[in-house]
Amino acid sequence: MQIYLPIAEVSVNLFLLLGLGGLVGLLSGLFGVGGGFIITPLLFFIGIPPTVAVATGANQVVASSVSGVLAQFRRKAVDVPMGMVLQAGGILGSGLGILVFNWLTRLGQVDLAVQLAYVVFLGGIGAMMLQESIRALRRANRPGAVRSRDQSRKLVHRLPFKMRFRTSGLYISVIPPFVIGMAVGVLAAVMGVGGGFIMVPAMIYLLGMPTKVVIGTSLFQILIVSAFTTLLHAITNQSVDVLLALLLIVGGVVGAQIGTRLGAKLKAEQLRILLALLVLAVALKLGLDLVLPPTELYSLQTGASR
C-alpha cells in the first residue's frame, strides 16, 4: 500500500514505515536510546530527502522516548535531577546545532555533511563501545573491575560545582553532564538523533552512573531535547513531514513497550555489545553508500532542499 508524503514529496509503502517505527521503538526500550541514529539512515535508504529525514526523525524520537520513559518511571529507574542538568545543556546545544544545519543547507552541502557525520560518529563510537563492552564482559566476575573504572573518573570528581544525585548514588560536578547534554543537543539538530548512542556510554563510563538508571535518565533527556529540536526545525526549515512522523510514531510506541520488557531480561554487558554491533552495522552501510557507484547515475528529486 503506497502513500504519498507531502513534505518529502515521495511515495512509500505504509507497512514499511510502520515496521521502521516499530523497530526504532524496540531499540528505544531495549537500549535506552531515542533511535534517531537508526531511523534517520533508514529513511535515507528508502528515498526520504536528508533534510526531511533529519527533522522528522527527531520528531519520531520524541514519541519513542515518551513511551520508553514512562515504562522506566514505573520501574523508578530515572534520575530526574541528572536528567534536568543534561536537558539544560541539550537545549543550548540544540540551538547551536540548528544554526549549523541552516548554514550547511544554504551552502547546499547538508546531505553530504549529515551522511559523513553518521559514518564518522557511528563508526568511532560503535568501535569504542564494542571494545569496552567486551572488556567489561570478560572482567565482570573479576575482583578489582570496579576499582579500575573509578580510576578513569578521577577528573570528573575533581571539578567544581558539585551536586548530589541520589538516585544514581553520585556526588559530582554538574559540568560533565552539562557538556555531554550540549554535545547531544548539537547532534540532535544536525543529525536528527536523540544522542543516546553517545550519552549512554558517557553516563556509564565517564559519570559512573549505574546501568539500571542510565537507560531511563537517557530517555528523559532525549524526550525534551528532541521535542525542542523538532520545533526549531519546523519553524526554521518547514521540513517536518507530519504524515511520515505519525506513521513512525504509531509503530514506535508499540515497539518501545516490547523493548522495555526484553531489556529487563538481558544482562547490561550483553545490551552494550548488541548496541555496539548495531551502530557499527549502520555506519558500514552508510559508508558503502558513499563510496560505491549508484545504480542510477542521474535522478530527479523535488523537495530535497528547503
Side-chain angles (χ1 to χ4, degrees):
M1 182 185 294
Q2 296 291 115
I3 59 168
Y4 181 74
L5 303 175
I7 303 299
E9 299 184 2
V10 295
S11 295
V12 186
N13 186 277
L14 170 65
F15 298 108
L16 175 61
L17 292 178
L18 290 174
L20 291 181
L23 173 63
V24 173
L26 180 70
L27 298 176
S28 176
L30 189 61
F31 298 121
V33 297
F37 75 95
I38 184 71
I39 191 60
T40 305
L42 289 177
L43 292 177
F44 295 166
F45 300 155
I46 64 173
I48 305 298
T51 50
V52 178
V54 168
T56 308
N59 192 36
Q60 194 274 344
V61 168
V62 176
S64 295
S65 298
V66 167
S67 181
V69 81
L70 288 177
Q72 295 294 332
F73 265 117
R74 288 195 293 269
R75 297 169 58 187
K76 298 182 179 179
V78 179
D79 190 328
V80 176
M82 177 66 77
M84 297 293 287
V85 174
L86 291 166
Q87 287 169 9
I91 289 174
L92 175 60
S94 179
L96 296 174
I98 288 292
L99 294 177
V100 173
F101 187 90
N102 292 342
W103 175 67
L104 291 171
T105 301
R106 289 193 298 270
L107 291 178
Q109 300 297 324
V110 68
D111 295 4
L112 177 62
V114 169
Q115 289 179 298
L116 283 175
Y118 268 100
V119 173
V120 172
F121 277 97
L122 293 186
I125 291 169
M128 289 187 291
M129 285 177 60
L130 182 61
Q131 181 184 32
E132 179 59 31
S133 298
I134 293 174
R135 287 178 180 174
L137 193 61
R138 288 176 176 174
R139 69 186 181 220
N141 298 321
R142 297 178 187 174
V146 175
R147 192 182 310 119
S148 65
R149 287 177 59 186
D150 289 340
Q151 291 294 324
S152 67
R153 295 194 297 266
K154 278 186 176 181
L155 178 61
V156 174
H157 292 284
R158 286 200 293 261
L159 294 174
F161 308 111
K162 289 188 176 182
M163 179 176 174
R164 191 172 301 280
F165 301 98
R166 299 187 184 279
T167 306
S168 299
L170 296 176
Y171 180 62
I172 61 172
S173 169
V174 298
I175 296 175
F178 184 86
V179 172
I180 292 171
M182 188 167 66
V184 167
V186 172
L187 293 178
V190 175
M191 299 170 63
V193 299
F197 65 94
I198 288 180
M199 191 157 52
V200 168
M203 291 164 75
I204 293 172
Y205 300 119
L206 180 61
L207 302 182
M209 293 177 62
T211 303
K212 65 179 182 179
V213 177
V214 164
I215 293 178
T217 308
S218 170
L219 289 173
F220 181 54
Q221 191 265 2
I222 287 169
L223 170 62
I224 302 300
V225 174
S226 296
F228 183 70
T229 301
T230 301
L231 178 64
L232 291 181
H233 272 298
I235 293 173
T236 60
N237 300 319
Q238 296 81 46
S239 55
V240 177
D241 193 309
V242 176
L243 179 58
L244 173 60
L246 179 62
L247 293 173
L248 295 174
I249 285 170
V250 171
V253 170
V254 176
Q257 296 301 318
I258 298 173
T260 301
R261 292 185 176 90
L262 290 176
K265 299 178 181 179
L266 295 175
K267 294 181 180 179
E269 291 80 10
Q270 294 172 333
L271 288 174
R272 294 176 206 163
I273 290 176
L274 289 174
L275 180 57
L277 291 174
L278 182 62
V279 169
L280 286 172
V282 174
L284 178 62
K285 177 64 170 69
L286 283 170
L288 290 175
D289 286 347
L290 286 175
V291 299
L292 293 179
T295 54
E296 296 182 7
L297 296 181
Y298 300 97
S299 65
L300 294 176
Q301 188 177 58
T302 58
S305 299
R306 294 187 178 275

